[in-house]
Amino acid sequence: DKPFIFDRFYRGGLARDGNVPGTGLGLAIVQRIVDRYDGRIEWDSQLGQGTWFTVWLPAVWEVE
């Protein structure tokens, strides 16, 4: 599933097989927002342990 998690309408095997509700749009939307702000997403997943996501966005300082 890892190569596809940010694809629109993609739902992992457990979600499909487990009858978990959802459209598969959440991570695709998050990635597009992060991209527009020139940020990045780091993530890792361990079977049976879960998945963590870190979103990095550039700081913008307004100088007067």
Side-chain angles (χ1 to χ4, degrees):
D1 292 330
K2 284 186 174 186
F4 308 106
I5 66 165
F6 294 104
D7 291 352
R8 286 181 294 165
F9 302 109
Y10 181 77
R11 300 186 64 222
L14 290 175
R16 289 188 310 267
D17 298 341
N19 208 16
V20 176
T23 60
L25 287 174
L27 289 174
I29 292 170
V30 169
Q31 184 175 38
R32 295 221 192 311
I33 292 169
V34 170
D35 287 346
R36 288 192 182 202
Y37 283 95
D38 294 323
R40 71 180 194 274
I41 301 174
E42 294 178 1
W43 67 281
D44 191 22
S45 183
Q46 301 293 324
L47 188 60
Q49 299 292 316
T51 303
W52 60 263
F53 293 87
T54 304
V55 175
W56 297 89
L57 297 171
V60 177
W61 299 98
E62 200 171 299
V63 179
E64 294 183 24

